[in-house]
Amino acid sequence: GKWHMGVNCKTRHDHCHHPLNHGFDYFYGMPFTLVNECQGTDDPELAKSLQDTYWFYTQMVILAVFTLVTGKIANLFTVKWKIIICLAICGLFHFISWFSSYGFTKYWNCILMRNHDITEQPMNLQKTTPNMLKEAITFIERNKHRPFLLFVSLLHVHTPLITTEKFQGRSRHGLYGDNIEEMDWMVGRLLDVIDKEDLKNTTLIYFASDHGGFLEAHRGNSQLGGWNGIYKGGKGMGGWEGGIRVPGIFRWPGVLPAGTVIDEPTSLMDIYPTVVQLAGGAVPQDRVMDGHTLLPLLRGTEQHSRHEFLFHYCGVFLHAVRWHQQDRGTVWKAHYVTPVFQPEASGACFRRGICPCSGDGVTHHDPPLLFNLSQDPSEANPLSADAEPLFGTVVRRIRRAVEEHRKTLTPVPQQLSPYNNIWKPWLQPCCGTFPFCWCNEENNKA
């Protein structure tokens, strides 16, 4: 499915970020994310702010060149042609940077790969769902006689909500509902294969989402990004519950008691240590591990999550901290940074398209906004020192946890810097002779 970690570092074929270079034995899917450009019908979203910046500078440089040429021809002022030519080259560079990230995205970045080979460029979105399902099923059938780990990262339910014709119009909740119906059917097909191959009682299945609904995603009056119920905020917001609070569904007949509801905060970071324990391995001891195995909690041998504190980031910026005060059964959350909603009471950043993590699009809080999630899960009523006797104690304890947490961090390069987001032709995956990157595995076989 969707890898979303990229492919190359220094050359087109080094595959340093590829799944096969990070522990996986087999890969079929999309090495980048699914964006509107892949469909070609919606507004562009890939590096939208960067595109806007390039286009603005392109217009400014073109205007400057036009003004200088006009002035020179009309003898209004003297300027060397070298300066005009250099400025024109600069404008061409900005135009190429803008167009490469906007005009050719579909053909260059909307690709499917099998291991290191590109099978479709651009990919056929109507065939992507059955192709990925077929790959997952054949993987199970190939490995049914030995232990296996199958990680299926679906393109559903992600804008632009690619839905096959069979499921269009099935739901009362529009295209988003149709996409969920199809995802549900895909999960059901995988469960059927597990049952058919008599693997039900020996296979742990964990279904989860990576974030809450994308509130800003709209097409006309249609909401394309889901709904977060009573929880404030959504996708891309580091602190609000609507962006990070998602359910996890587990199935392992004969091992996990059916119908059990566990109301404890866990994290997707817990998948790694859980899988390692299931495989009979040991997690590395030479670094701080943020995840904890879920097996004691799932089996009922432990009643509380091992996460006393969870640190909620937006990019590299710490926005909020959750404290699970186990002796009292209370969950507190302190917000140090919150996004500025547009409009103010909307719970989303409609004018920006998605909420930023820093800069003028956020508000800093000192002291932090404090909520008792046990009593106020929708984070509607921030507590104050006057109204909450434990305010000072809780804020100090969370602040101390943040200080301890930051001692464990290792600085890394900013992945979302302009340089790391600019298109680099020498790293571009291409199944043909660059820039003529078009291929289709099915057509090639035919």
Side-chain angles (χ1 to χ4, degrees), residues 277-310:
Q277 183 178 354
L278 284 169
V283 297
Q285 300 298 309
D286 61 344
R287 69 204 72 177
V288 174
M289 301 302 300
D290 294 307
H292 302 286
T293 176
L294 294 171
L295 294 180
L297 196 61
L298 295 174
R299 286 172 168 160
T301 57
E302 292 183 3
Q303 301 306 310
H304 294 294
S305 166
R306 295 184 181 181
H307 289 283
E308 183 179 6
F309 293 93
L310 283 170

Side-chain angles (χ1 to χ4, degrees), residues 70 76 144 186 191 226 251 302 330 347:
T70 304
L76 296 176
K144 61 186 178 183
M186 293 175 72
L191 295 180
R251 190 186 85 153
E302 292 183 3
T330 305

Side-chain angles (χ1 to χ4, degrees), residues 419-441:
Y419 176 77
N420 283 332
N421 276 268
I422 190 175
W423 176 66
K424 302 178 181 69
W426 60 91
L427 299 182
Q428 180 66 51
C430 181
C431 61
T433 302
F434 184 82
F436 306 105
C437 306
W438 290 275
C439 62
N440 185 297
E441 186 181 66

Side-chain angles (χ1 to χ4, degrees), residues 194-259:
I194 293 289
D195 294 350
K196 173 175 159 284
E197 300 296 346
D198 198 27
L199 299 171
K200 180 193 292 188
N201 293 337
T202 56
T203 305
L204 171 65
I205 296 169
Y206 180 17
F207 178 86
S209 175
D210 53 347
H211 54 68
F214 183 11
L215 301 180
E216 292 88 354
H218 280 77
R219 183 186 297 157
N221 294 324
S222 300
Q223 166 75 355
L224 298 182
W227 179 65
N228 296 323
I230 67 170
Y231 303 114
K232 184 182 293 185
K235 175 183 178 178
M237 301 183 203
W240 295 120
E241 290 291 276
I244 57 179
R245 184 170 179 144
V246 295
I249 305 172
F250 294 83
R251 190 186 85 153
W252 194 358
V255 179
L256 305 182

Side-chain angles (χ1 to χ4, degrees), residues 349-417:
C349 300
F350 289 106
R351 291 177 199 153
R352 290 179 179 261
I354 195 166
C355 289
C357 298
S358 61
D360 62 355
V362 302
T363 302
H364 294 264
H365 304 280
D366 186 15
L369 296 179
L370 183 67
F371 297 92
N372 182 342
L373 296 185
S374 309
Q375 300 175 359
D376 181 21
S378 61
E379 299 173 286
N381 304 298
L383 302 172
S384 65
D386 296 332
E388 174 53 63
L390 294 174
F391 183 93
T393 303
V394 172
V395 168
R396 284 192 296 273
R397 180 64 187 95
I398 291 177
R399 186 180 295 121
R400 193 162 73 249
V402 170
E403 292 170 357
E404 294 167 359
H405 162 70
R406 284 185 166 144
K407 292 176 184 176
T408 70
L409 300 180
T410 302
V412 296
Q414 169 59 278
Q415 296 179 40
L416 300 178
S417 66

Side-chain angles (χ1 to χ4, degrees), residues 318-339:
L318 181 66
H319 275 207
V321 180
R322 178 189 310 261
W323 179 25
H324 187 204
Q325 196 177 7
Q326 296 175 353
D327 58 338
R328 294 172 56 92
T330 305
V331 179
W332 306 92
K333 196 200 295 178
H335 288 260
Y336 293 98
V337 182
T338 56

Side-chain angles (χ1 to χ4, degrees), residues 94-139:
H94 278 100
F95 176 78
I96 292 172
S97 299
W98 168 79
F99 193 77
S100 64
S101 65
Y102 173 79
F104 282 117
T105 300
K106 177 177 180 179
Y107 297 98
W108 285 342
N109 288 345
C110 301
I111 63 177
L112 281 178
M113 298 182 76
R114 178 180 287 105
N115 293 327
H116 289 150
D117 299 322
I118 298 173
T119 62
E120 287 184 28
Q121 191 173 16
M123 62 186 190
N124 184 333
L125 293 177
Q126 283 302 310
K127 294 183 178 180
T128 301
T129 295
N131 284 347
M132 287 190 177
L133 190 56
K134 178 183 174 184
E135 288 284 339
I137 290 172
T138 55
F139 178 87

